[in-house]
Amino acid sequence: MTTVTLSASAQVHRMEHRDSSMTERVYNLNPIVVTGSGHHQRLKSTTTPVSVLSAVEMKEQGIITLDGALTRMMPQVSMAPSSMGSFLRLNGLSGKYILILINGQKMTGDISNNLDLNRINMSRVKRIEVLDGAASSLYGSDAIAGVINIITDQPTSELISVTSNTRLSGKGQLTESVNLDIFTHGFGSYTTYTRDQADSYQTTDLEYVKGSDTETQKTIAPLFTGYRSDILSQKFTYSPMRQLALNAGFDYSYKITDRPETRADITGGTDYEMRYKGLRWNVGGIYKFTDRNSLQASFTTDRFRYGKEYDVETKNNAIGDYVQSKKQRAHEADVKAILGLMKGGTTIVGMNWRQDFLRATSGNIDENAQTFAVYAQHDAKYAVGNGFAAFTLGLRFTHHETFGNHLTPKATLMYAPGNFRLRATYSAGFRAPGLDELFYHYFSVNRGKPQIIFGNQDLKPEKSHYFALNAEYRSDFFSVGLTGFINRLNDMVVRKDIDVDAAKLTMLQNEFPEMTADEAQKLLRYSLYQNDDRGLVKGLQVNFSANLFKGFNLSGHYACTYARSKSGDTWTVLERSIRNAATLAANYHHSWRGYGLNVNLNGRLQSKTYYTSYENAPGFGIWNLLTTHTFEMVKWALVEPSLGVENIFDRVDSRIDSANRKYALYSPGRMLVVGLKVKFM
């Protein structure tokens, strides 16, 4: 039976507005977005629903990380921390189906298909645009679950400004960012340094003894792994004439974990820390022939490598030794023309080239893959009665050197009488298996447990078909939306566990001669990437936002998601999926002669998290309160202290760890949060 779902996003999008004072704010219900259509449009005019998280909204909730922004403000997103990445899920699908973009350019560098979102410099984020569902017609491979596009901003109104922003909370969590902005005569320089760190922590110091469901023992294994992270960013912009704008920049990121060391008297320690370095640089520009006709071009290189830095002496490694595990590199070029060829219509034509490289120590892997694509899309808008109708048609042709040619179409239709919006969407998705899924030959030992993963060069690409219906009402003071969708996936690539018998153990010992006899005895299964039959995700979303009176806004978002995969004749709920989740926020702002007060109460409520082979993690409700105080006593300086409480009701998952780390709530409990922003301009 085919079910059609609705996809609507109705939320208030606020932006900071400076008239005579930076303490004033206005609420913008119709911001400009780019992700859904590929060109700038007002949210009410785009035929594809897009959720927008503004910088002001994130500041009001005290959000300083991308995962915090997504999970606190979007119930269809869930996140679980790992040592060097984040188990990100959107509408029940894992991170490898979610395309992460920075200003429209793909982010590269993952560990087990998990990007580390700490690599993104949040101090420059203007807004985050989230597009649910397949978007391969514009963005190519990986955009099956949706697209998260981080839009950054550079001020152009001040000659020079310096901003320091500090946030401190419990468990050693500290974030400090410093920005230096210079803009003069069409030239801009934007420099940022960010330091982010946190301590490891536990919610219980017990674990089950291996092979027992009742006997426990002490452990120092953390629930949350501490880390130290540094980001240095530099961007230059130059506009020599009104029609031309150029840009170039880089982002350097470094991160190392801070885990408890191996001890003879207790389990849970490790011999090494995980460390990565990332370097991303890009150049680009836009030339406007007229207000409605422009040509854009960009080139991006992204390098990412990670490995093990030993802090305990072992048989093969001394303290301080670094052993590289994996190195990734990607080059991408994109050229796009945005043309107003006819009244009320916009046409996009473009081409994209990308080459990915993978070098892995285990298995001596050194592989690469190249992709070339051309795409076209046309939007049109026509007056109908007291409103208008609009449609979007798009098509992308992709040639992958391993998987051949693929077409991914998109078609959307919108009817907009007055303040109502009715939308229907179909889009196709395409995902080429990653180089690790094709070629991995991986062996590692973590906390005494051996792990083996094999790639599979016989994999087929994954495909999807996404259908959505949307109904929305939006005015200057109130908005409400209803979304329903269905996403069908074919040939899903999954990691299958295979039991080890005597013959397979001999094969594995020949493949990995570095595996000791003791480690071989502990090896019960290994993993192989394979194509599953298919996946099916159905969902319903409800969103509302209201400006109840001047300075007070109330918003809520609910997502019901039913995500399953089928292997043979058996349907299984997708790992880490959540059936019901909601986010709520109440915000009050008022200003008095150079002083502004902002009070924000927000919460996330969700039902249990599904685990296919283990106990499901229980649901929870987390509430946070933050007050922000803005002082602008002189025109050249701004001081903004903040004070709040995270996890007001002290919700903690303190179940005894089964050594499988199957949790949904990772909070250590109630924490005081303090912050200070200082800006000189």
Side-chain angles (χ1 to χ4, degrees), residues 11 32 74 80 87 93 116 155 161 168 173 224 227 250 260 303 362 369 411 420 444 481 497 525 550 591 606:
Q11 53 187 1
I32 292 175
M74 296 194 66
F87 290 104
L93 294 174
D116 187 3
S161 68
L168 178 67
Q173 297 181 20
F224 176 88
Y227 63 88
F250 72 86
R303 300 172 182 265
S362 181
F420 289 94
S444 179
D497 288 334
R525 58 186 61 88
K550 184 179 180 181
S591 60
Q606 69 177 50

Side-chain angles (χ1 to χ4, degrees), residues 250-268:
F250 72 86
D251 295 276
Y252 170 79
S253 55
Y254 171 90
K255 182 179 180 180
I256 188 168
T257 59
D258 186 13
R259 304 189 289 193
E261 296 178 1
T262 300
R263 289 166 45 182
D265 61 326
I266 193 170
T267 68

